[in-house]
Amino acid sequence: EAGVVQSPRYKIIEKKQPVAFWCNPISGHNTLYWYRQNLGQGPELLIRYENEEAVDDSQLPKDRFSAERLKGVDSTLKIQPAELGDSAVYLCASRKGGKNTEAFFGQGTRLTVV
Amino acid sequence: ELKVEQNPLFLSMQEGKNYTIYCNYSTTSDRLYWYRQDPGKSLESLFVLLSNGAVKQEGRLMASLDTKARLSTLHITAAVHDLSATYFCAGLSGTYKYIFGTGTRLKVLA
């Protein structure tokens, strides 16, 4: 079974430019997460989807970040415009429904803003 | 809100030695997860602990959960170089949000 697939793996952009990340979760997983991981720290949640509904976006900086999960499968996370402080690894994870299931993470996209 | 703290943050140990990583959490979280992350890689699920007293073992790693003490431990037995990685614990909030600790960077020296 394929895992969570993310692209691109690496992205270098200049500040003020837009950038987008794509995630394809594990088939059948209703819950999708976007996390940001700064260097030397644990991942922090940006947004959680249940199917196509964003049920927790309280930590998403909505002035510059947006996300969508059309048809409740693939998801895109966008930053516009990017700032230097956005440099981090952006991780996508998915989880099957049910209380006792675990989340599986993709390889992540390493963003460098210069 | 749930907070998760790990210690130590860094751990350098000799091969063959035993050690324990501690994970404390602030509010009720009756599920606790352990993940491993190699440099430049994603998080790999190691253990899912679902109830008080749960103990799981895989190879040289053993994880346990004490929900009354709000403590989980990851015990390493007879460490080998291949175990060098960063280990994260994570609790699950009431809104199904995974809250991660800052991680323990383990280096096993030959």
Side-chain angles (χ1 to χ4, degrees):
Chain A
E1 178 184 270
V4 177
V5 179
Q6 291 187 246
S7 69
R9 290 291 313 280
Y10 306 93
K11 191 76 177 177
I12 301 174
I13 61 169
E14 293 184 344
K15 62 182 180 182
K16 299 185 183 179
Q17 294 302 306
V19 65
F21 315 126
W22 175 80
C23 173
N24 180 233
I26 293 172
S27 178
H29 283 199
N30 301 326
T31 306
L32 184 145
Y33 303 85
W34 282 104
Y35 277 84
R36 176 168 59 188
Q37 186 176 23
N38 292 311
L39 191 63
Q41 297 182 23
E44 294 180 329
L45 181 71
L46 291 173
I47 189 167
R48 175 172 73 94
Y49 282 92
E50 290 294 337
N51 299 304
E52 64 272 12
E53 183 182 358
V55 295
D56 186 351
D57 63 356
S58 57
Q59 293 178 252
L60 188 72
K62 297 182 186 63
D63 57 335
R64 297 183 300 107
F65 285 65
S66 64
E68 60 182 13
R69 190 183 184 197
L70 300 176
K71 300 180 182 178
V73 182
D74 295 0
S75 178
T76 304
L77 178 69
K78 297 178 182 176
I79 308 175
Q80 182 170 9
E83 296 179 353
L84 295 176
D86 296 330
S87 295
V89 175
Y90 291 81
L91 293 164
C92 178
S94 71
R95 179 173 169 271
K96 209 170 181 178
K99 286 178 61 175
N100 298 328
T101 56
E102 65 202 275
F104 294 89
F105 285 78
Q107 295 275 60
T109 296
R110 183 177 297 274
L111 173 68
T112 303
V113 182
V114 297
Chain B
E1 188 181 66
L2 176 64
K3 285 184 169 47
V4 179
E5 290 185 356
Q6 285 180 244
N7 70 84
L9 297 183
F10 299 95
L11 177 55
S12 180
M13 56 192 296
Q14 296 288 329
E15 275 193 332
K17 298 292 187 183
N18 305 333
Y19 209 84
T20 300
I21 299 171
Y22 297 89
C23 176
N24 293 90
Y25 53 97
S26 61
T27 64
T28 300
S29 174
D30 56 5
R31 297 177 211 109
L32 201 290
Y33 304 82
W34 285 95
Y35 286 87
R36 168 181 171 147
Q37 187 175 40
D38 291 287
K41 300 290 178 69
S42 189
L43 290 101
E44 173 192 353
S45 177
L46 292 175
F47 299 110
V48 181
L49 303 169
L50 299 176
S51 60
N52 186 41
V55 177
K56 290 198 174 178
Q57 183 162 6
E58 181 75 34
R60 300 174 189 275
L61 300 178
M62 183 173 72
S64 66
L65 178 62
D66 181 343
T67 57
K68 294 178 182 177
R70 294 179 184 165
L71 171 68
S72 179
T73 60
L74 180 66
H75 186 73
I76 303 155
T77 302
V80 293
H81 184 261
D82 285 353
L83 291 179
S84 297
T86 299
Y87 293 86
F88 290 96
C89 64
L92 192 66
S93 75
T95 55
Y96 292 95
K97 179 164 67 176
Y98 290 81
I99 306 293
F100 285 84
T102 48
T104 296
R105 191 174 301 175
L106 171 66
K107 187 170 184 179
V108 181
L109 306 171

